[in-house]
Amino acid sequence: MRVLNLKFTLLASLLTLAVAVPQSISPYLVKEEILPPRGWVKSGRPPPDHAITLRIGLPQPNFHVLESHLYEISDPDHERYGDHLTKEEVEDLVRPHPDSLDAVNEWLYSAGFAAEEINRSPAHDWVLLTIPVSKAEDILDTTYHIWTHTASGDSLVRSTRYSLPSHLHGHVELVQPTTMFGRMNAHNSAIFSPFEEEDVAAPLAQTVPAGTLDAVDPSCNTTITVSCLKQLYNATDYEASNTTKSSIGITGYLEQFANIQDLQSFYAEQRPDALNTSFKFVSVKGGLNNQTLSEAGAEANLDVQFAFGISYPVPGTFWSTAGRPPFIPDTRTVNNTNEPYQDWVDSILGQKDIPLVISTSYGDDEQTVPENYARRVCASFAQLGARGVSLLFSSGDYGVGDGNANPATQQCFTNDGKNQTKFIPVFPSTCPFVTSVGGTQNINPEVAVSRFYSGGGFSNYFDTPDYQKAAVSKYISALPKGLYKGLYNQQGRGFPDVAAQGDRYRIWLAGKPGKIGGTSASSPAFAGFVALLNDARFKAKQKPLGFLNPLLYSKGVAGFTDILSGSNPGCGTPGFNVTKGWDPVTGLGTPNFGKLKEIVTKQY
């Protein structure tokens, strides 16, 4: 491995976990315990032979070194800007201390597991065991139940407490699935029917000459197309190359299938030069991409059609990660009981070549994800950033509230048993190592989207990162004194970071055209323009952008159009207001591709 320019050394970091491995298994002590989350009720016990995959997370003693690398190589003012790490270098930096590996191995061997039954991530920071739930109860000194979500009917096999031998507490950060009750949802608007059928002959925006930003086709006020976005964001005169190294990917979950026939109909209408091209499909954990028109997914179709339509001919990849099917009490087959984010990121981290821009339009209420688990997933995203990948997530559609579409009736209470009224931030958008994308609507001027409300606010888990401290502090200090006191974390990571159009997108679904909205549209659209920026950097013989935020909050600010109108109501409040500069509704604003291209192709 090449010498890394840091003041930290691997030896010093390893010594922090130099704990002797005991010769015998110590008594069990509770490792984690939670109160039953709101909205979930016990509905039975799983069959003893119901199979689950336990994920055991070992500490990453050198993560602070990786984080330092990430910020250096993502800072356009640093001499190492763009000097991304290799897969092997990242794995070396997140590898557990040998004592942790030995302690966990001894525990599992003593519990009767053979070496071939124990699977590990490439860096050995995760141990995976697929075992009957009865065996999981034995080794975790716990009891699993079937828990049913009263509003949706979804069911999970979970526990509210588990234990580990006391000597392992310093060698194991977390074990899941145990206390993880998150319900990953697509971030498309639930306020209206997600697909509104239209006449196939509905007028679409026409391309306007480059440099005439004020002359965006008026039809873009009612229907958003690829042409509208390129006009609005000053990209009509840019043509990508199919010979550079730029690439883009879309994640799919929950049995959302991206239909190729619909993509061809979309291309014929909005991107005829892309006709007869498609995307690379990759299955994760057995994920499918069924091509029957009736099984086409609105979310998946929206994401691939606009991300790939904007970035064409940049090659695209669509991942389908097997979801969490509803638990059926009498089933004896293996169910995917893990949170799919980590399944996906584990798979991607194991690959040598990864698309350089990846958009995800799914998320959970932050409080439904145990903090230790959220931090580990977020740390995995940092690993991708260190390898030169730009990760974008939609910010959510319910303003400052929970998943209830009506902001006046949202139940915004904490899940910690105190039932305190709080705004509900959205994970993974709250992770400081990703770029969160909010929603706008209309043209000349753009405003914060109002048919649903752009998710935004402040994390309760992650502190404000250095790259946005000045912007967040300026916004909070300008709020009326005492406004929303106690409802949000003033020291939290603010989101979203940026915004893009988020409503009235014209897609094709099951053979028909129609409209759809949500920040699930904003993120793939923004990702398409990032893929074009990478294309421009490659043409200039530069490296990919990688983790975007340090650039966006510094030199990149000049490449955004500030949004000055709107808010994101929720929890019975008006929510946060849009204001000059960064705000927790539309972030820094919407992209001006022409200006951003000039900024990112300068030699830093």
Side-chain angles (χ1 to χ4, degrees), residues 19 38 82 101 111 118 127 194 227 245 276 298 328 349 383 391 401 450 483 485 522:
V19 181
R38 182 179 291 100
L101 295 170
I118 304 171
V127 173
S227 176
K245 299 178 182 179
N276 300 318
I328 303 172
L349 285 170
Q383 294 178 52
L391 291 174
S450 63
L483 180 67
K485 183 178 180 180
S522 308

Side-chain angles (χ1 to χ4, degrees), residues 53 100 121 168 171 234 255 269 286 300 313 323 372 405 512 578 601 603:
T53 298
S100 295
S121 62
L168 284 181
H171 297 294
N234 192 20
E255 289 71 58
E269 180 183 80
N372 58 6
K512 298 177 182 179
V578 171
T601 54
Q603 293 288 347

Side-chain angles (χ1 to χ4, degrees), residues 233-256:
Y233 299 144
N234 192 20
T236 58
D237 62 344
Y238 185 80
E239 292 186 9
S241 168
N242 59 3
T243 59
T244 66
K245 299 178 182 179
S246 187
S247 52
I248 184 170
I250 293 293
T251 63
Y253 299 98
L254 307 181
E255 289 71 58
Q256 277 276 329

Side-chain angles (χ1 to χ4, degrees), residues 101-252:
L101 295 170
D102 291 343
V104 171
N105 285 343
E106 181 186 29
W107 170 53
L108 295 177
Y109 294 153
S110 69
F113 291 99
E116 58 269 21
E117 296 178 280
I118 304 171
N119 296 308
R120 307 177 196 276
S121 62
H124 288 199
D125 53 335
W126 288 102
V127 173
L128 288 86
L129 299 168
T130 299
I131 56 178
V133 69
S134 58
K135 183 65 173 178
E137 291 179 332
D138 287 343
I139 66 172
L140 298 178
D141 190 24
T142 189
T143 301
Y144 279 89
H145 289 89
I146 303 168
W147 291 82
T148 300
H149 189 251
T150 54
S152 67
D154 290 349
S155 295
L156 296 172
V157 176
R158 293 293 186 266
S159 174
T160 56
R161 180 179 71 177
Y162 68 93
S163 300
L164 293 172
S166 59
H167 76 275
L168 284 181
H169 282 226
H171 297 294
V172 173
E173 281 192 339
L174 74 161
V175 181
Q176 292 292 347
T178 48
T179 59
M180 171 68 185
F181 282 80
R183 296 176 58 250
M184 186 171 65
N185 296 302
H187 283 160
N188 54 19
S189 175
I191 292 181
F192 62 106
S193 173
F195 185 77
E196 299 173 344
E197 187 173 339
E198 286 188 336
D199 189 317
V200 70
L204 299 182
Q206 303 299 310
T207 301
V208 298
T212 55
L213 189 58
D214 291 336
V216 176
D217 191 301
S219 69
C220 299
N221 260 317
T222 58
T223 303
I224 292 296
T225 64
V226 169
S227 176
C228 286
L229 293 170
K230 288 201 167 189
Q231 291 174 47
L232 190 58
Y233 299 144
N234 192 20
T236 58
D237 62 344
Y238 185 80
E239 292 186 9
S241 168
N242 59 3
T243 59
T244 66
K245 299 178 182 179
S246 187
S247 52
I248 184 170
I250 293 293
T251 63

